[in-house]
PDB file of all heavy atoms in Angstrom:
ATOM      1  N   ALA A1420     -20.857  12.587  -2.166  1.00  0.00           N
ATOM      2  CA  ALA A1420     -21.240  13.187  -0.881  1.00  0.00           C
ATOM      3  C   ALA A1420     -20.023  13.911  -0.304  1.00  0.00           C
ATOM      4  O   ALA A1420     -19.130  13.300   0.286  1.00  0.00           O
ATOM      5  CB  ALA A1420     -21.731  12.104   0.079  1.00  0.00           C
ATOM      6  N   LYS A1422     -19.330  15.711   2.154  1.00  0.00           N
ATOM      7  CA  LYS A1422     -18.937  15.781   3.557  1.00  0.00           C
ATOM      8  C   LYS A1422     -17.899  14.723   3.918  1.00  0.00           C
ATOM      9  O   LYS A1422     -17.188  14.861   4.893  1.00  0.00           O
ATOM     10  CB  LYS A1422     -20.160  15.691   4.466  1.00  0.00           C
ATOM     11  CG  LYS A1422     -20.802  14.320   4.582  1.00  0.00           C
ATOM     12  CD  LYS A1422     -21.930  14.390   5.609  1.00  0.00           C
ATOM     13  CE  LYS A1422     -22.541  13.050   5.926  1.00  0.00           C
ATOM     14  NZ  LYS A1422     -23.340  12.488   4.813  1.00  0.00           N
ATOM     15  N   ALA A1423     -17.774  13.669   3.092  1.00  0.00           N
ATOM     16  CA  ALA A1423     -16.797  12.615   3.389  1.00  0.00           C
ATOM     17  C   ALA A1423     -15.366  13.138   3.304  1.00  0.00           C
ATOM     18  O   ALA A1423     -14.487  12.702   4.048  1.00  0.00           O
ATOM     19  CB  ALA A1423     -16.980  11.436   2.437  1.00  0.00           C
ATOM     20  N   ASP A1441     -23.176  16.098  -3.796  1.00  0.00           N
ATOM     21  CA  ASP A1441     -24.255  16.013  -2.815  1.00  0.00           C
ATOM     22  C   ASP A1441     -23.796  16.786  -1.588  1.00  0.00           C
ATOM     23  O   ASP A1441     -22.813  16.417  -0.952  1.00  0.00           O
ATOM     24  CB  ASP A1441     -24.508  14.534  -2.485  1.00  0.00           C
ATOM     25  CG  ASP A1441     -25.333  14.369  -1.221  1.00  0.00           C
ATOM     26  OD1 ASP A1441     -26.312  15.110  -1.059  1.00  0.00           O
ATOM     27  OD2 ASP A1441     -25.000  13.490  -0.403  1.00  0.00           O
ATOM     28  N   VAL A1443     -24.483  19.043   2.143  1.00  0.00           N
ATOM     29  CA  VAL A1443     -25.329  19.069   3.333  1.00  0.00           C
ATOM     30  C   VAL A1443     -25.195  20.387   4.102  1.00  0.00           C
ATOM     31  O   VAL A1443     -25.591  20.466   5.267  1.00  0.00           O
ATOM     32  CB  VAL A1443     -25.051  17.872   4.272  1.00  0.00           C
ATOM     33  CG1 VAL A1443     -25.550  16.579   3.647  1.00  0.00           C
ATOM     34  CG2 VAL A1443     -23.579  17.757   4.621  1.00  0.00           C
ATOM     35  N   ALA A1464     -29.026  18.384   0.674  1.00  0.00           N
ATOM     36  CA  ALA A1464     -29.831  17.685   1.683  1.00  0.00           C
ATOM     37  C   ALA A1464     -29.507  18.251   3.054  1.00  0.00           C
ATOM     38  O   ALA A1464     -28.661  19.137   3.195  1.00  0.00           O
ATOM     39  CB  ALA A1464     -29.517  16.188   1.643  1.00  0.00           C
ATOM     40  N   GLY A1465     -30.164  17.750   4.069  1.00  0.00           N
ATOM     41  CA  GLY A1465     -29.893  18.178   5.444  1.00  0.00           C
ATOM     42  C   GLY A1465     -31.174  18.529   6.175  1.00  0.00           C
ATOM     43  O   GLY A1465     -32.048  19.174   5.598  1.00  0.00           O
ATOM     44  N   ASN A1485     -33.100  18.318  -1.452  1.00  0.00           N
ATOM     45  CA  ASN A1485     -33.690  17.110  -0.877  1.00  0.00           C
ATOM     46  C   ASN A1485     -34.323  17.522   0.446  1.00  0.00           C
ATOM     47  O   ASN A1485     -33.627  17.826   1.411  1.00  0.00           O
ATOM     48  CB  ASN A1485     -32.626  16.030  -0.685  1.00  0.00           C
ATOM     49  CG  ASN A1485     -32.135  15.492  -2.022  1.00  0.00           C
ATOM     50  OD1 ASN A1485     -32.877  15.491  -3.009  1.00  0.00           O
ATOM     51  ND2 ASN A1485     -30.902  15.052  -2.066  1.00  0.00           N
ATOM     52  N   GLU A1487     -36.507  17.610   3.893  1.00  0.00           N
ATOM     53  CA  GLU A1487     -36.599  16.658   4.998  1.00  0.00           C
ATOM     54  C   GLU A1487     -37.768  16.892   5.954  1.00  0.00           C
ATOM     55  O   GLU A1487     -37.908  16.191   6.949  1.00  0.00           O
ATOM     56  CB  GLU A1487     -35.271  16.650   5.770  1.00  0.00           C
ATOM     57  CG  GLU A1487     -34.061  16.468   4.857  1.00  0.00           C
ATOM     58  CD  GLU A1487     -33.010  15.523   5.392  1.00  0.00           C
ATOM     59  OE1 GLU A1487     -33.261  14.862   6.400  1.00  0.00           O
ATOM     60  OE2 GLU A1487     -31.931  15.457   4.771  1.00  0.00           O
ATOM     61  N   ARG A1511     -37.236  13.731   0.761  1.00  0.00           N
ATOM     62  CA  ARG A1511     -36.466  12.684   1.450  1.00  0.00           C
ATOM     63  C   ARG A1511     -37.395  11.921   2.373  1.00  0.00           C
ATOM     64  O   ARG A1511     -37.955  12.486   3.320  1.00  0.00           O
ATOM     65  CB  ARG A1511     -35.306  13.263   2.254  1.00  0.00           C
ATOM     66  CG  ARG A1511     -34.573  12.172   3.029  1.00  0.00           C
ATOM     67  CD  ARG A1511     -33.265  12.623   3.585  1.00  0.00           C
ATOM     68  NE  ARG A1511     -32.589  11.547   4.313  1.00  0.00           N
ATOM     69  CZ  ARG A1511     -31.400  11.677   4.878  1.00  0.00           C
ATOM     70  NH1 ARG A1511     -30.760  12.819   4.808  1.00  0.00           N
ATOM     71  NH2 ARG A1511     -30.853  10.668   5.509  1.00  0.00           N
ATOM     72  N   PHE A1533     -33.907  12.067  10.378  1.00  0.00           N
ATOM     73  CA  PHE A1533     -33.817  12.395   8.959  1.00  0.00           C
ATOM     74  C   PHE A1533     -35.099  12.069   8.197  1.00  0.00           C
ATOM     75  O   PHE A1533     -35.767  11.083   8.475  1.00  0.00           O
ATOM     76  CB  PHE A1533     -32.647  11.635   8.321  1.00  0.00           C
ATOM     77  CG  PHE A1533     -31.323  11.983   8.951  1.00  0.00           C
ATOM     78  CD1 PHE A1533     -30.761  11.169   9.917  1.00  0.00           C
ATOM     79  CD2 PHE A1533     -30.653  13.140   8.580  1.00  0.00           C
ATOM     80  CE1 PHE A1533     -29.540  11.491  10.504  1.00  0.00           C
ATOM     81  CE2 PHE A1533     -29.436  13.477   9.160  1.00  0.00           C
ATOM     82  CZ  PHE A1533     -28.881  12.649  10.127  1.00  0.00           C
ATOM     83  N   HIS A1559     -36.218  10.792  -2.448  1.00  0.00           N
ATOM     84  CA  HIS A1559     -34.832  10.631  -2.008  1.00  0.00           C
ATOM     85  C   HIS A1559     -34.776   9.803  -0.725  1.00  0.00           C
ATOM     86  O   HIS A1559     -35.666   9.903   0.119  1.00  0.00           O
ATOM     87  CB  HIS A1559     -34.232  12.031  -1.768  1.00  0.00           C
ATOM     88  CG  HIS A1559     -32.895  12.022  -1.096  1.00  0.00           C
ATOM     89  ND1 HIS A1559     -32.653  12.721   0.067  1.00  0.00           N
ATOM     90  CD2 HIS A1559     -31.730  11.405  -1.416  1.00  0.00           C
ATOM     91  CE1 HIS A1559     -31.381  12.533   0.422  1.00  0.00           C
ATOM     92  NE2 HIS A1559     -30.805  11.747  -0.452  1.00  0.00           N
ATOM     93  N   PHE A1560     -33.728   8.999  -0.632  1.00  0.00           N
ATOM     94  CA  PHE A1560     -33.518   8.124   0.529  1.00  0.00           C
ATOM     95  C   PHE A1560     -32.033   8.127   0.874  1.00  0.00           C
ATOM     96  O   PHE A1560     -31.190   8.257  -0.009  1.00  0.00           O
ATOM     97  CB  PHE A1560     -33.924   6.677   0.192  1.00  0.00           C
ATOM     98  CG  PHE A1560     -35.347   6.556  -0.277  1.00  0.00           C
ATOM     99  CD1 PHE A1560     -35.671   6.819  -1.597  1.00  0.00           C
ATOM    100  CD2 PHE A1560     -36.346   6.204   0.602  1.00  0.00           C
ATOM    101  CE1 PHE A1560     -36.990   6.742  -2.038  1.00  0.00           C
ATOM    102  CE2 PHE A1560     -37.663   6.116   0.181  1.00  0.00           C
ATOM    103  CZ  PHE A1560     -37.990   6.391  -1.152  1.00  0.00           C
ATOM    104  N   HIS A1561     -31.735   8.006   2.132  1.00  0.00           N
ATOM    105  CA  HIS A1561     -30.343   7.696   2.526  1.00  0.00           C
ATOM    106  C   HIS A1561     -30.441   7.040   3.895  1.00  0.00           C
ATOM    107  O   HIS A1561     -30.772   7.685   4.878  1.00  0.00           O
ATOM    108  CB  HIS A1561     -29.476   8.961   2.580  1.00  0.00           C
ATOM    109  CG  HIS A1561     -28.094   8.688   3.101  1.00  0.00           C
ATOM    110  ND1 HIS A1561     -27.192   7.908   2.404  1.00  0.00           N
ATOM    111  CD2 HIS A1561     -27.466   9.045   4.238  1.00  0.00           C
ATOM    112  CE1 HIS A1561     -26.064   7.818   3.108  1.00  0.00           C
ATOM    113  NE2 HIS A1561     -26.195   8.489   4.219  1.00  0.00           N
ATOM    114  N   GLY A1563     -28.167   5.194   5.755  1.00  0.00           N
ATOM    115  CA  GLY A1563     -27.074   5.013   6.706  1.00  0.00           C
ATOM    116  C   GLY A1563     -25.753   4.860   5.986  1.00  0.00           C
ATOM    117  O   GLY A1563     -25.696   4.952   4.759  1.00  0.00           O
ATOM    118  N   SER A1564     -24.726   4.642   6.777  1.00  0.00           N
ATOM    119  CA  SER A1564     -23.375   4.637   6.224  1.00  0.00           C
ATOM    120  C   SER A1564     -22.636   3.358   6.618  1.00  0.00           C
ATOM    121  O   SER A1564     -23.036   2.667   7.554  1.00  0.00           O
ATOM    122  CB  SER A1564     -22.644   5.858   6.764  1.00  0.00           C
ATOM    123  OG  SER A1564     -21.558   6.193   5.956  1.00  0.00           O
ATOM    124  N   GLN A1565     -21.561   3.078   5.885  1.00  0.00           N
ATOM    125  CA  GLN A1565     -20.741   1.879   6.132  1.00  0.00           C
ATOM    126  C   GLN A1565     -21.640   0.624   6.107  1.00  0.00           C
ATOM    127  O   GLN A1565     -21.615  -0.213   7.005  1.00  0.00           O
ATOM    128  CB  GLN A1565     -19.948   2.018   7.447  1.00  0.00           C
ATOM    129  CG  GLN A1565     -18.973   0.881   7.782  1.00  0.00           C
ATOM    130  CD  GLN A1565     -18.014   0.513   6.629  1.00  0.00           C
ATOM    131  OE1 GLN A1565     -17.794   1.289   5.722  1.00  0.00           O
ATOM    132  NE2 GLN A1565     -17.478  -0.678   6.651  1.00  0.00           N
ATOM    133  N   GLY A1599     -29.543   7.552  -2.451  1.00  0.00           N
ATOM    134  CA  GLY A1599     -28.547   7.903  -1.444  1.00  0.00           C
ATOM    135  C   GLY A1599     -27.246   7.133  -1.610  1.00  0.00           C
ATOM    136  O   GLY A1599     -26.905   6.674  -2.703  1.00  0.00           O
ATOM    137  N   GLY A1600     -26.534   6.990  -0.493  1.00  0.00           N
ATOM    138  CA  GLY A1600     -25.226   6.322  -0.542  1.00  0.00           C
ATOM    139  C   GLY A1600     -25.121   5.286   0.552  1.00  0.00           C
ATOM    140  O   GLY A1600     -26.069   4.552   0.806  1.00  0.00           O
ATOM    141  N   GLY A1601     -23.970   5.239   1.186  1.00  0.00           N
ATOM    142  CA  GLY A1601     -23.803   4.357   2.338  1.00  0.00           C
ATOM    143  C   GLY A1601     -22.977   3.125   2.096  1.00  0.00           C
ATOM    144  O   GLY A1601     -22.682   2.388   3.044  1.00  0.00           O
ATOM    145  N   LEU A1602     -22.607   2.873   0.834  1.00  0.00           N
ATOM    146  CA  LEU A1602     -21.814   1.669   0.559  1.00  0.00           C
ATOM    147  C   LEU A1602     -20.530   1.677   1.389  1.00  0.00           C
ATOM    148  O   LEU A1602     -19.801   2.663   1.408  1.00  0.00           O
ATOM    149  CB  LEU A1602     -21.480   1.596  -0.938  1.00  0.00           C
ATOM    150  CG  LEU A1602     -20.629   0.406  -1.389  1.00  0.00           C
ATOM    151  CD1 LEU A1602     -21.339  -0.923  -1.123  1.00  0.00           C
ATOM    152  CD2 LEU A1602     -20.266   0.523  -2.863  1.00  0.00           C
ATOM    153  N   GLU A1638     -25.674   8.711  -4.129  1.00  0.00           N
ATOM    154  CA  GLU A1638     -24.849   9.690  -3.413  1.00  0.00           C
ATOM    155  C   GLU A1638     -23.791   8.951  -2.609  1.00  0.00           C
ATOM    156  O   GLU A1638     -23.994   8.632  -1.445  1.00  0.00           O
ATOM    157  CB  GLU A1638     -25.719  10.497  -2.444  1.00  0.00           C
ATOM    158  CG  GLU A1638     -26.808  11.272  -3.121  1.00  0.00           C
ATOM    159  CD  GLU A1638     -27.795  11.856  -2.111  1.00  0.00           C
ATOM    160  OE1 GLU A1638     -27.914  11.343  -0.992  1.00  0.00           O
ATOM    161  OE2 GLU A1638     -28.449  12.840  -2.474  1.00  0.00           O
ATOM    162  N   LEU A1639     -22.676   8.665  -3.251  1.00  0.00           N
ATOM    163  CA  LEU A1639     -21.627   7.902  -2.579  1.00  0.00           C
ATOM    164  C   LEU A1639     -20.572   8.829  -1.993  1.00  0.00           C
ATOM    165  O   LEU A1639     -20.145   9.788  -2.626  1.00  0.00           O
ATOM    166  CB  LEU A1639     -20.977   6.933  -3.570  1.00  0.00           C
ATOM    167  CG  LEU A1639     -21.894   5.804  -4.047  1.00  0.00           C
ATOM    168  CD1 LEU A1639     -21.252   5.026  -5.186  1.00  0.00           C
ATOM    169  CD2 LEU A1639     -22.237   4.859  -2.894  1.00  0.00           C
ATOM    170  N   GLY A1640     -20.170   8.523  -0.779  1.00  0.00           N
ATOM    171  CA  GLY A1640     -19.107   9.283  -0.133  1.00  0.00           C
ATOM    172  C   GLY A1640     -17.955   8.361   0.199  1.00  0.00           C
ATOM    173  O   GLY A1640     -16.991   8.217  -0.560  1.00  0.00           O
ATOM    174  N   ARG A1641     -18.113   7.671   1.315  1.00  0.00           N
ATOM    175  CA  ARG A1641     -17.051   6.794   1.841  1.00  0.00           C
ATOM    176  C   ARG A1641     -16.446   5.846   0.794  1.00  0.00           C
ATOM    177  O   ARG A1641     -15.228   5.702   0.718  1.00  0.00           O
ATOM    178  CB  ARG A1641     -17.635   5.957   2.985  1.00  0.00           C
ATOM    179  CG  ARG A1641     -16.623   5.131   3.735  1.00  0.00           C
ATOM    180  CD  ARG A1641     -17.317   4.157   4.684  1.00  0.00           C
ATOM    181  NE  ARG A1641     -18.335   4.794   5.485  1.00  0.00           N
ATOM    182  CZ  ARG A1641     -18.130   5.378   6.661  1.00  0.00           C
ATOM    183  NH1 ARG A1641     -16.936   5.375   7.192  1.00  0.00           N
ATOM    184  NH2 ARG A1641     -19.134   5.947   7.311  1.00  0.00           N
ATOM    185  N   ALA A1642     -17.320   5.188   0.016  1.00  0.00           N
ATOM    186  CA  ALA A1642     -16.828   4.162  -0.903  1.00  0.00           C
ATOM    187  C   ALA A1642     -15.874   4.746  -1.947  1.00  0.00           C
ATOM    188  O   ALA A1642     -14.995   4.051  -2.455  1.00  0.00           O
ATOM    189  CB  ALA A1642     -18.009   3.470  -1.591  1.00  0.00           C
ATOM    190  N   ALA A1736     -12.223   8.871   4.293  1.00  0.00           N
ATOM    191  CA  ALA A1736     -13.591   9.367   4.482  1.00  0.00           C
ATOM    192  C   ALA A1736     -13.803   9.732   5.946  1.00  0.00           C
ATOM    193  O   ALA A1736     -13.478   8.944   6.839  1.00  0.00           O
ATOM    194  CB  ALA A1736     -14.602   8.301   4.062  1.00  0.00           C
ATOM    195  N   TYR A1737     -14.332  10.900   6.178  1.00  0.00           N
ATOM    196  CA  TYR A1737     -14.658  11.365   7.533  1.00  0.00           C
ATOM    197  C   TYR A1737     -13.412  11.395   8.419  1.00  0.00           C
ATOM    198  O   TYR A1737     -13.478  11.121   9.617  1.00  0.00           O
ATOM    199  CB  TYR A1737     -15.786  10.523   8.145  1.00  0.00           C
ATOM    200  CG  TYR A1737     -16.972  10.417   7.217  1.00  0.00           C
ATOM    201  CD1 TYR A1737     -17.254   9.253   6.493  1.00  0.00           C
ATOM    202  CD2 TYR A1737     -17.790  11.532   7.009  1.00  0.00           C
ATOM    203  CE1 TYR A1737     -18.318   9.188   5.598  1.00  0.00           C
ATOM    204  CE2 TYR A1737     -18.856  11.470   6.116  1.00  0.00           C
ATOM    205  CZ  TYR A1737     -19.114  10.301   5.422  1.00  0.00           C
ATOM    206  OH  TYR A1737     -20.152  10.254   4.537  1.00  0.00           O
TER     207      TYR A1737
HETATM  208  C1  PLP B2195     -23.489  11.346   4.283  1.00  0.00           C
HETATM  209  C2  PLP B2195     -24.478  11.238   3.213  1.00  0.00           C
HETATM  210  C3  PLP B2195     -24.235  10.448   2.100  1.00  0.00           C
HETATM  211  C4  PLP B2195     -22.985   9.616   1.911  1.00  0.00           C
HETATM  212  O1  PLP B2195     -22.818   8.601   2.828  1.00  0.00           O
HETATM  213  P1  PLP B2195     -21.620   7.563   2.653  1.00  0.00           P
HETATM  214  O2  PLP B2195     -21.838   6.573   3.713  1.00  0.00           O
HETATM  215  O3  PLP B2195     -20.341   8.308   2.852  1.00  0.00           O
HETATM  216  O4  PLP B2195     -21.715   6.980   1.278  1.00  0.00           O
HETATM  217  C5  PLP B2195     -25.199  10.409   1.108  1.00  0.00           C
HETATM  218  N1  PLP B2195     -26.343  11.124   1.212  1.00  0.00           N
HETATM  219  C6  PLP B2195     -26.610  11.904   2.269  1.00  0.00           C
HETATM  220  C7  PLP B2195     -27.874  12.660   2.315  1.00  0.00           C
HETATM  221  C8  PLP B2195     -25.695  11.988   3.306  1.00  0.00           C
HETATM  222  O5  PLP B2195     -25.968  12.754   4.369  1.00  0.00           O
END
Side-chain angles (χ1 to χ4, degrees):
K1422 73 175 187 290
D1441 165 43
V1443 290
N1485 291 331
E1487 309 222 9
R1511 176 167 180 178
F1533 300 98
H1559 170 235
F1560 303 82
H1561 175 66
S1564 201
Q1565 184 50 20
L1602 179 62
E1638 299 170 337
L1639 293 171
R1641 187 190 312 272
Y1737 309 105

